[in-house]
Amino acid sequence: MSPKKYTSLHHLQADLLEGKTSCASLADYYLGRIEKNQHLNAMLEVYAEEAREKAKSVDAKLKNGNAGKLAGMFLAIKDNICYTGHIASGSSKILSNYKAVYTATALQRLLDQDAIVIGRCNCDEFAMGASNENSAYGVVRNAADTTKVPGGSSGGSAVAVQADFCLAALGSDTGGSIRQPASFTGTVGIKPTYGRISRYGLMAYASSFDQIGPITSSVDDAALLVEIMAGVDQNDATSSAQNVETYTPNLAQKYTIAYSKEAMESEGLAIDVKEAYVALIAKLREEGHIVEEKSFPYLDYMVPCYYVLTTAEASSNLSRYSGMLYGQRSELATDIESTFKKSRSEGFGPEVKRRIMTGTFVLSADEYDAYYSKAQKVRRVIQDASNKLLEEYDFFLCPTAPTTAFEIGGDMSKDPIKMYLADIFTVQAPLAGLPALSIPTAESNGLSIGMHFMGRAFEESALFNIGNIVSSYYRAP
Ligand code: GLN
């Protein structure tokens, strides 16, 4: 892959101010990259003319000295984030013709600072998946090796940054959908604390887990984007009024970090990922951080707990797609019941159907106590134990995913349980509502490996700082 034009907004803006580049020429560059790399199938739609127009107007603002903080930031958005007047399909057939009638708050805040949206990214249908093979619009390919998946569900967003289609992309994360694709594509991904960023305008998958977050090439860009998107929003009652700090790097800071005994000993952990994990622990110690092994005995419960709760929430959230108000209506429908049945049968893909059925089952009167209510209790145990661990340590360190990017259409794709286990290290943070960051630290056979830091609620700044510290170890001298 050719080197990226820019890997941080800071450098890009320096060149803009010195007149070495312009938003108009950057628009041409990024649109050219997208054009040349269509085989990756990362973009479902490109807003070429709009991006060019907006680029001209940002150039004019830069000249007048009244440009926003994100002047020069070309951004791609996941297909489950609403943007007025643009299609938002959730990469589902059922919403293939749905045009958003309002803009997500998180996105609006970026637009207000002059971010330029270049297009809409492919993803797993309704954000359900870990490989981007569940999109109704085809698989997305990893730019480092096109026989491999980019991860999911925000695979298109991750590839857009990996392949230099834009400087940053928005994804959403319910159980790992920002962090795991970031790990597979050598990018930085953060899932903020639950409530940190408004979910207004994000298509609901599992509302008590979902968060919007950025995928970027640099930690500083992630920090800036989170800072601008964060904060209370009257349209989302779960958004938090917690103070939003401006992140200032402090690379001299030393931390206490726990690493997971169970993750280290986990059967499914690939040898190359384990080596990268061990190497990072050694390097952190060498640099003066306190890194200790810690047992967190709930690892085996996390994936089942996550899938019971998220499918339950999904079965309720996705009931709105009935062929009545919006989205596709089956041509074979003759009455209300057949409208529901046929529109949903035709409109949803197999994984979404599997989850709606699982969720309906775990919420049914006979099974509720055995599954849903038990999983709620397990979630509380995981939350309490995670918070307790983070009273003692600044971060909990794991690999982001047990393997590097796996094969498209391979073993994983044929077995949903195997695929669900790809989320083993990422579901803890959303179960506990905590923020977590994936940062690339190694490569194996040309594929990137990400490490995962989970931190205290609303302490994203500390995560950005450890992210910057860690990436300083891997930057060329
Ligand atoms: N892979 C997980 C799932 O399939 C995570 C998805 C997500 O975070 N949206 O549910």
Side-chain angles (χ1 to χ4, degrees):
M1 222 193 345
S2 58
K4 291 185 191 182
K5 184 123 187 149
Y6 290 100
T7 51
S8 82
L9 185 64
H10 179 73
H11 290 129
L12 186 155
Q13 286 184 337
D15 281 2
L16 279 175
L17 292 177
E18 284 175 35
K20 290 189 184 150
T21 189
S22 66
C23 294
S25 66
L26 285 168
D28 289 339
Y29 168 79
Y30 287 126
L31 292 167
R33 293 283 312 159
I34 296 173
E35 182 73 29
K36 262 190 239 133
N37 289 284
Q38 290 186 29
H39 62 286
L40 300 175
N41 200 27
M43 306 303 295
L44 291 178
E45 198 177 345
V46 184
Y47 310 139
E49 278 326 298
E50 264 179 77
R52 286 203 170 94
E53 283 306 308
K54 178 90 195 252
K56 273 194 233 154
S57 82
V58 179
D59 280 335
K61 281 187 171 183
L62 281 162
K63 243 197 198 139
N64 296 334
N66 62 349
K69 284 188 195 162
L70 296 177
M73 169 69 82
F74 284 79
L75 187 75
I77 57 174
K78 186 173 177 177
D79 189 29
N80 62 352
I81 295 174
C82 291
Y83 182 21
T84 308
H86 298 78
I87 287 179
S89 81
S91 293
S92 178
K93 255 200 327 209
I94 207 160
L95 287 183
S96 57
N97 55 4
Y98 175 70
K99 253 193 196 155
V101 290
Y102 61 97
T103 297
T105 303
L107 176 58
Q108 190 58 55
R109 290 180 179 175
L110 303 180
L111 294 170
D112 292 345
Q113 292 297 334
D114 286 333
I116 300 170
V117 182
I118 199 143
R120 162 168 77 92
C121 299
N122 204 345
C123 61
D124 281 306
E125 185 176 2
F126 290 116
M128 297 176 187
S131 68
N132 225 301
E133 293 169 293
N134 298 336
S135 164
Y137 305 100
V139 302
V140 177
R141 292 177 186 277
N142 192 311
D145 175 348
T146 53
T147 66
K148 301 287 194 299
V149 304
S153 64
S154 314
S157 301
V159 170
V161 176
Q162 178 193 31
D164 213 13
F165 295 174
C166 49
L167 191 60
L170 292 188
S172 68
D173 192 310
T174 304
S177 277
I178 289 176
R179 294 160 287 150
Q180 184 250 21
S183 172
F184 283 8
T185 56
T187 53
V188 176
I190 180 166
K191 182 204 86 74
T193 312
Y194 185 75
R196 185 49 116 177
I197 293 177
S198 166
R199 290 179 295 113
Y200 181 71
L202 170 67
M203 285 176 197
Y205 158 18
S207 313
S208 74
F209 293 72
D210 301 339
Q211 273 292 285
I212 292 175
I215 296 177
T216 57
S217 296
S218 75
V219 172
D220 289 344
D221 286 358
L224 181 63
L225 289 168
V226 168
E227 183 190 329
I228 293 172
M229 289 189 283
V232 72
D233 172 18
Q234 60 170 14
N235 289 318
D236 174 3
T238 63
S239 65
S240 165
Q242 280 265 352
N243 184 33
V244 181
E245 297 168 26
T246 299
Y247 163 62
T248 333
N250 175 7
L251 299 190
Q253 175 99 29
K254 302 297 171 207
Y255 290 107
T256 55
I257 302 165
Y259 74 87
S260 160
K261 176 173 186 296
E262 287 73 20
M264 190 62 91
E265 290 167 0
S266 140
E267 236 175 71
L269 187 63
I271 186 78
D272 48 0
V273 179
K274 188 170 178 165
E275 279 169 11
Y277 192 25
V278 169
L280 177 60
I281 291 167
K283 179 69 182 166
L284 285 164
R285 282 184 176 145
E286 193 185 303
E287 295 289 330
H289 302 277
I290 295 169
V291 190
E292 292 175 352
E293 181 181 85
K294 185 83 192 170
S295 173
F296 192 84
Y298 307 107
L299 192 64
D300 289 345
Y301 301 99
M302 299 221 223
V303 168
C305 177
Y306 168 82
Y307 276 94
V308 170
L309 295 176
T310 54
T311 55
E313 293 190 28
S315 75
S316 156
N317 274 327
L318 271 63
S319 63
R320 72 192 63 173
Y321 306 115
S322 60
M324 297 301 287
L325 273 177
Y326 35 66
Q328 299 246 52
R329 178 175 301 175
S330 169
E331 297 195 346
L332 304 171
T334 50
D335 55 11
I336 286 196
E337 193 170 327
S338 67
T339 302
F340 288 1
K341 278 192 180 156
K342 291 193 191 304
S343 305
R344 289 168 69 79
S345 300
E346 289 167 17
F348 291 135
E351 181 59 28
V352 172
K353 285 181 186 159
R354 180 180 297 123
R355 295 196 190 196
I356 291 174
M357 287 190 284
T358 311
T360 307
F361 174 79
V362 300
L363 286 175
S364 61
D366 285 349
E367 308 299 336
Y368 186 93
D369 283 342
Y371 293 96
Y372 184 72
S373 116
K374 187 165 285 166
Q376 289 281 41
K377 291 176 190 151
V378 175
R379 183 180 197 182
R380 173 48 68 90
V381 170
I382 293 170
Q383 270 171 358
D384 289 349
S386 302
N387 285 324
K388 192 150 176 267
L389 183 99
L390 291 166
E391 277 169 20
E392 220 181 312
Y393 295 91
D394 295 310
F395 307 110
F396 190 48
L397 170 63
C398 278
T400 307
T403 64
T404 53
F406 43 87
E407 219 180 308
I408 294 174
D411 281 358
M412 297 281 285
S413 322
K414 292 182 189 112
D415 182 348
I417 303 287
K418 268 197 189 147
M419 189 69 87
Y420 295 171
L421 285 170
D423 305 325
I424 185 148
F425 303 134
T426 47
V427 293
Q428 182 180 359
L431 278 165
L434 297 171
L437 174 88
S438 176
I439 184 102
T441 67
E443 270 191 16
S444 173
N445 296 320
L447 295 170
S448 131
I449 298 174
M451 288 293 143
H452 186 265
F453 288 86
M454 188 175 78
R456 298 185 193 111
F458 298 103
E459 292 191 10
E460 281 84 4
S461 284
L463 280 176
F464 295 130
N465 206 41
I466 190 72
N468 259 333
I469 289 172
V470 168
S471 47
S472 75
Y473 302 157
Y474 301 96
R475 252 195 298 272

